Amino acid sequence: MAQPLPFVLDVPAEVENADLDPSPCDESEVHDSFHRLIQEQSLRAAQEGLELQERQAAATAAGSGSQNLLGPEGPVVHSTATLQILASMPSRTIGRSRGAIISQYYNRTAQRRWRRGSSRPLLGDLVPSARPSLRLRDLEVDSSAQEEEAEKRSLLVQELQGLSGTQRDQLLRGMPLSLAEKRSLREKSRAPRGRRGRTGISACCGQLGDSFILAWHSLGLALLAGLQALVPWRDALKQIGGQFGSSVLCYFLFLKTLLGLNLLLLPLLLGLLVGVQAAFPPPPAATSTFTGLELLTGGGRFTHTLMYYGYYSNATLNQPCEAPGDAGQCAPRAGSLPYNMPLAYLFTMGAAFFVTCITLVYSMSRSFGESYRVGSTSGVHALTVFCSWDHKVTQRRASRLQHDTLRTRLKELLAEWQLRQSPRSTCGKLRRTCVLGLVWLLCLGATLGCCVAVLVFSEAQTWVAEDQEVALLALPLVVSLLNLGASYLFRGLAALERLDSPLLEVYVAVCRNLILKMTVLGILCYHWLGRRVPTLQGRCWENFVGQELYRFIVTDLAFTLLDSLLGELVWRLISEKRLSRRKPEFDIARNVLDLIYGQTLIWLGVLFSPLLPAVQVLKLLLLFYVKKASLLANCQAPRRPWLACRMNTVFCTLLCFPSFLGAAIFLCYAVWQVRPSGTCGPFRTLASMYEAGTVWVHHLERAGPGVSWLPWAHRYLVENTSFLFLLSALLLAVIYLNIQVVKGQRKVICLLKEQIFNEGEDKIFLINKLHSIYEKKERRAAGAEEPVSPGPLPVARATPAGMASVS
């Protein structure tokens, strides 16, 4: 019998931080320790040959009767050498024995105490530990193995008692054991009350310290739970995702994203524009009485308020205005620090759009990386079944909600898998292409008709007086009615296509509604800046454009609420009572495009009405609760579940490029090319809004050499178009590189999966070769007079994950 080999975990001590213990959660260290442990225990088993004796006898008995009882298709019998090799494989050893884990952590704690000067007994001097092996069930019922494990456990408990409370908790937290095992070790490692070294005041202080630590930890957990509870609509989003799936949930998540964008703009506008102007109000103007119609038209009493551009002054706002100079502007007092309102207005709008652009690009890039990083969904069904349940959930309602979410997720995955398994025939594809082309022609014709109607009606509204507020509501009403009617027409035509993929249906509907709404908005922008501005010379046309956009926002909200509260309710009653059908489904494409349309109106009007983001915040809050109530009462889950893993990326992309980019072009044209009104606003004396920056630069040039770098920066970084083109090219390059990196990661993932599969095939080949080699050696040893009939080769196969499985 060979002597047991001592197992010493070599943990190098740090020179710089010798007083700090190594973390038990160090992944590489734990991996190396397990590797050494496996090698040492495998070598011991190979020298002694204790474990495989029973298996060898069983293999001999089975080999003598396998051919007679079961024939060539009977159970496969491996040789002793093959079994020994299989027993030494890492996949058959790691995670099989608690004794090996306890041995490893005993050596680690002993190594710490040994560095402090304490004696350190080796586990190798004790009874050999039960190594992790194929005999898992035998080891669990073996009395000697249980005695060995109990002895090692007691040694580990003794070592844990010598550590401080923080080190002990940290070490126990990193052990790969069950919670019951950790709890048992923690209770045993605590010293009894009579044996504690603290008495009197020290013991009392220690108890107070422990109580304070526990109270602080409990307070932290309570604050963390409170912060999670403050997440807006957390429970409502879980309920929607569990009942209606990820496709409907994408709409509400997108609404939450828009709410965050507007809340990001509000502090900037309120702090730098609205708050400053409210602190230094201009002389009051003659106002009319409040009639309530202002809530729909945006005019009347609201005209001369902080709501619109015309209320803001063109003076410095940190001292009373002195006599205006030749240019008509207020002259600041000597020695004062003026707050240039025109410059603040211009740069605040620029900063707001810059922050929005950065946020959108970051959100789109992050969403793109999360959606497209994994190139395949193979194996996701097993992960969903076995790894999706949160075992910390204890409440019945939360458990039911998680159950619904998991069930809906499985339906979506199975529906996507079935869609890939049922391809269409050639005739079916040709028929579908013809129907799709016909429907697209009808949709484009309807879009063209709506655009012509908007253009004609806007031309008729060109000469309507500014004070006829009720008549000015006609254009927003017509546009909202056309948008709503066209969206229902597109939905009816989409029913003729009968596309196989629900995701493709949503993409097609989004494209059709997007073409309609963006074209209508382009016509309206031409109407405001190209047709209405020349007719409003001598008046504040900026206020008129701001009021027009306010009317469009209010009208769009009114039609959305009527469609949700009445339209979906009436359609549900017709479907259930008259048509004997189930409830209608939630129209994702139309509702998402309504959100994008409304946010585009906000970006178009923020220059002329700085408080429009606040109106949008109230609108989105109201929409969420109305849409949620209508969804739960009038709609059902999609009849064909589908996985909407990339919908959020598509929505962010549409919000960034057609919507935000178009609004930015519109506002740049208004700032650079259109002459401001001469009777209102902060730019009333300038040829263009952009000229406020030039006037400020000229003032800085006369201020002195201390700020000479600011005119240089303005001249070469703002006025120079080459720098703007360079920034745009850099932004596009970053987006392109991010897309290429994600594509490269997907390709690497595919290659790694293929490599894992090939390694599984290599294991099959090597096991078969080893088996044949050892059988040849057994034949030579037995001699020619006693031939040994070789058993069949081991049946091996490669699992989907790439691991070799040997029968």
Side-chain angles (χ1 to χ4, degrees):
M1 185 74 69
Q3 294 294 329
L5 298 176
F7 173 67
V8 180
L9 180 61
D10 187 12
V11 181
E14 298 182 2
V15 179
E16 299 178 356
N17 299 327
D19 55 336
L20 299 178
D21 294 324
S23 172
C25 301
D26 190 359
E27 182 179 354
S28 60
E29 184 180 329
V30 172
H31 176 74
D32 296 339
S33 303
F34 271 109
H35 183 64
R36 297 194 195 102
L37 181 63
I38 291 167
Q39 288 182 344
E40 180 263 331
Q41 298 289 356
S42 301
L43 178 60
R44 181 183 303 165
Q47 292 175 352
E48 297 178 358
L50 295 178
E51 181 183 352
L52 298 175
Q53 290 180 358
E54 297 178 2
R55 293 186 177 272
Q56 182 178 4
T60 305
S64 60
S66 60
Q67 299 295 330
N68 297 329
L69 295 176
L70 299 177
E73 300 298 331
V76 180
V77 179
H78 300 290
S79 63
T80 302
T82 303
L83 287 174
Q84 184 174 350
I85 293 174
L86 292 177
S88 301
M89 292 176 64
S91 60
R92 303 297 182 92
T93 57
I94 292 180
R96 294 288 186 176
S97 174
R98 292 175 300 180
I101 297 172
I102 294 174
S103 301
Q104 179 206 5
Y105 280 93
Y106 167 78
N107 288 327
R108 177 171 295 179
T109 55
Q111 177 74 12
R112 292 175 176 176
R113 298 194 65 188
W114 175 72
R115 288 204 302 264
R116 295 187 177 95
S118 304
S119 60
R120 182 182 182 275
L122 298 177
L123 280 181
D125 299 333
L126 306 173
V127 181
S129 61
R131 74 175 179 88
S133 65
L134 293 169
R135 293 196 309 152
L136 172 62
R137 191 172 299 274
D138 298 336
L139 288 175
E140 290 179 351
V141 299
D142 191 3
S143 60
S144 61
Q146 292 179 356
E147 293 176 358
E148 296 168 10
E149 184 175 344
E151 188 174 359
K152 290 181 296 182
R153 184 187 297 273
S154 63
L155 290 174
L156 180 59
V157 167
Q158 293 177 7
E159 293 293 335
L160 289 174
Q161 288 177 353
L163 300 176
S164 63
T166 304
Q167 293 176 346
R168 181 172 62 247
D169 293 340
Q170 187 179 10
L171 187 63
L172 288 173
R173 192 180 298 114
M175 286 186 179
L177 295 172
S178 63
L179 290 177
E181 294 286 341
K182 293 180 180 180
R183 191 177 295 111
S184 175
L185 288 173
R186 181 181 291 109
E187 293 296 332
K188 292 180 179 179
S189 60
R190 289 178 180 175
R193 290 184 177 271
R195 297 178 55 185
R196 293 186 179 180
R198 299 176 298 182
T199 58
I201 299 177
S202 61
C204 183
C205 293
Q207 293 178 1
L208 289 176
D210 294 340
S211 301
F212 177 76
I213 292 174
L214 290 176
W216 183 259
H217 183 67
S218 301
L219 179 61
L221 293 178
L223 291 177
L224 182 60
L227 290 177
Q228 292 179 354
L230 290 177
V231 175
W233 310 321
R234 181 167 171 262
D235 296 335
L237 292 177
K238 286 185 177 181
Q239 182 183 4
I240 293 171
Q243 294 186 13
F244 297 92
S246 59
S247 56
V248 179
L249 181 62
C250 280
Y251 167 79
F252 292 92
L253 291 177
F254 185 63
L255 190 149
K256 184 179 175 182
T257 302
L258 292 182
L259 181 63
L261 284 175
N262 289 277
L263 289 176
L264 186 64
L265 288 181
L266 269 183
L268 197 63
L269 297 173
L270 292 178
L272 298 180
L273 286 184
V274 180
V276 176
Q277 187 63 61
F280 301 94
T287 58
S288 59
T289 59
F290 182 77
T291 61
L293 190 61
E294 291 87 348
L295 296 175
L296 294 177
T297 63
R301 188 67 179 271
F302 290 165
T303 302
H304 301 286
T305 60
L306 291 166
M307 185 75 183
Y308 296 111
Y309 163 92
Y311 183 82
Y312 293 86
S313 173
N314 67 330
T316 54
L317 301 179
N318 57 346
Q319 78 281 337
C321 184
E322 297 180 352
D326 298 336
Q329 291 183 334
C330 291
R333 291 181 177 179
S336 63
L337 183 62
Y339 189 86
N340 194 334
M341 194 62 190
L343 188 66
Y345 201 99
L346 181 64
F347 275 84
T348 300
M349 292 300 168
F353 269 76
F354 180 76
V355 170
T356 304
C357 179
I358 295 299
T359 305
L360 283 176
V361 171
Y362 173 75
S363 177
M364 184 177 60
S365 174
R366 181 181 178 184
S367 178
F368 183 85
E370 292 177 354
S371 301
Y372 294 89
R373 194 172 301 279
V374 180
S376 155
T377 58
S378 60
V380 72
H381 303 84
L383 292 176
T384 305
V385 172
F386 295 107
C387 303
S388 296
W389 187 263
D390 188 1
H391 294 275
K392 296 182 291 184
V393 174
T394 56
Q395 298 180 358
R396 182 180 297 274
R397 179 177 176 273
S399 176
R400 182 63 183 175
L401 186 61
Q402 189 174 3
H403 175 269
D404 294 339
T405 303
L406 183 58
R407 180 188 60 189
T408 307
R409 172 76 174 178
L410 288 174
K411 286 182 179 179
E412 293 172 351
L413 292 173
L414 292 175
E416 185 180 8
W417 178 78
Q418 290 176 357
L419 185 62
R420 293 197 300 264
Q421 300 298 323
S422 56
R424 275 181 176 264
S425 60
T426 305
C427 296
K429 292 180 179 179
L430 182 61
R431 189 184 307 110
R432 186 183 63 178
T433 303
C434 295
V435 173
L436 190 63
L438 179 61
V439 172
W440 265 105
L441 287 177
L442 294 176
C443 292
L444 291 177
T447 302
L448 181 62
C450 292
C451 294
V452 171
V454 171
L455 182 61
V456 172
F457 199 82
S458 62
E459 287 292 331
Q461 290 281 311
T462 302
W463 305 104
V464 176
E466 185 182 359
D467 54 352
Q468 298 179 2
E469 298 177 356
V470 179
L472 292 174
L473 280 173
L475 181 60
L477 288 174
V478 169
V479 171
S480 299
L481 187 61
L482 288 176
N483 284 333
L484 184 62
S487 62
Y488 274 107
L489 177 62
F490 294 161
R491 188 175 182 180
L493 292 175
L496 303 176
E497 295 174 333
R498 296 180 181 179
L499 298 175
D500 294 333
S501 173
L503 183 61
L504 183 59
E505 288 183 2
V506 174
Y507 283 157
V508 171
V510 165
C511 289
R512 292 167 181 169
N513 285 275
L514 182 67
I515 292 173
L516 171 66
K517 294 183 182 298
M518 293 298 111
T519 309
V520 169
L521 283 177
I523 294 174
L524 292 175
C525 291
Y526 166 74
H527 165 70
W528 291 324
L529 295 185
R531 303 293 295 170
R532 291 296 289 180
V533 171
T535 64
L536 295 174
Q537 291 297 330
R539 287 172 288 180
C540 191
W541 64 265
E542 292 91 349
N543 276 7
F544 174 80
V545 175
Q547 292 172 3
E548 278 278 277
L549 286 162
Y550 176 84
R551 286 189 283 268
F552 271 89
I553 293 170
V554 172
T555 309
D556 178 66
L557 174 61
F559 272 81
T560 303
L561 294 179
L562 289 176
D563 178 58
S564 300
L565 297 177
L566 296 180
E568 293 179 356
L569 176 61
V570 172
W571 184 246
R572 178 179 70 87
L573 294 177
I574 293 175
S575 299
E576 291 181 346
K577 304 299 183 182
R578 297 296 181 182
L579 302 179
S580 299
R581 297 178 181 176
R582 301 172 60 189
K583 296 179 181 180
E585 297 182 11
F586 187 77
D587 194 348
I588 301 172
R590 178 174 60 84
N591 286 280
V592 167
L593 263 298
D594 287 342
L595 291 179
I596 295 178
Y597 172 77
Q599 187 61 41
T600 308
L601 292 176
I602 297 298
W603 285 329
L604 290 174
V606 70
L607 178 65
F608 312 107
S609 180
L611 287 179
L612 279 185
V615 177
Q616 179 73 350
V617 168
L618 298 177
K619 174 186 173 182
L620 292 176
L621 290 174
L622 181 61
L623 273 182
F624 180 87
Y625 292 105
V626 172
K627 285 293 183 181
K628 177 195 170 186
S630 177
L631 175 69
L632 297 177
N634 302 322
C635 299
Q636 65 166 351
R639 289 187 293 271
R640 294 186 297 169
W642 52 282
L643 189 61
C645 58
R646 298 185 177 96
M647 289 301 296
N648 194 26
T649 305
V650 176
F651 296 158
C652 290
T653 305
L654 295 178
L655 183 67
C656 183
F657 288 109
S659 176
F660 179 78
L661 185 61
I665 293 174
F666 171 80
L667 293 183
C668 288
Y669 178 79
V671 169
W672 262 274
Q673 299 295 329
V674 183
R675 185 180 183 86
S677 300
T679 58
C680 66
F683 308 103
R684 66 189 69 176
T685 59
L686 303 176
S688 65
M689 298 182 186
Y690 176 74
E691 194 175 341
T694 306
V695 172
W696 174 68
V697 169
H698 292 332
H699 178 71
L700 289 179
E701 289 177 349
R702 296 191 300 267
V707 291
S708 59
W709 62 274
L710 288 175
W712 178 89
H714 182 271
R715 184 178 303 109
Y716 290 100
L717 299 182
V718 179
E719 292 183 351
N720 192 357
T721 57
S722 301
F723 182 73
L724 296 179
F725 281 116
L726 180 62
L727 283 180
S728 302
L730 183 62
L731 180 62
L732 293 177
V734 169
I735 296 175
Y736 175 77
L737 289 177
N738 188 25
I739 294 174
Q740 294 301 317
V741 166
V742 172
K743 287 184 178 180
Q745 290 175 348
R746 295 176 64 191
K747 187 174 182 180
V748 169
I749 289 173
C750 295
L751 293 176
L752 289 176
K753 289 182 178 180
E754 184 179 357
Q755 183 178 355
I756 291 173
F757 182 80
N758 292 333
E759 288 180 357
E761 296 291 337
D762 293 342
K763 290 180 181 179
I764 297 173
F765 175 78
L766 292 175
I767 290 173
N768 291 334
K769 286 294 183 181
L770 288 173
H771 185 69
S772 62
I773 290 172
Y774 281 110
E775 281 191 344
K776 290 179 182 179
K777 289 183 179 180
E778 290 178 357
R779 291 197 196 100
R780 294 195 193 101
E785 65 279 2
E786 296 179 358
V788 180
S789 59
L793 292 178
V795 179
R797 63 182 182 275
T799 62
M803 293 297 296
S805 176
V806 182
S807 303

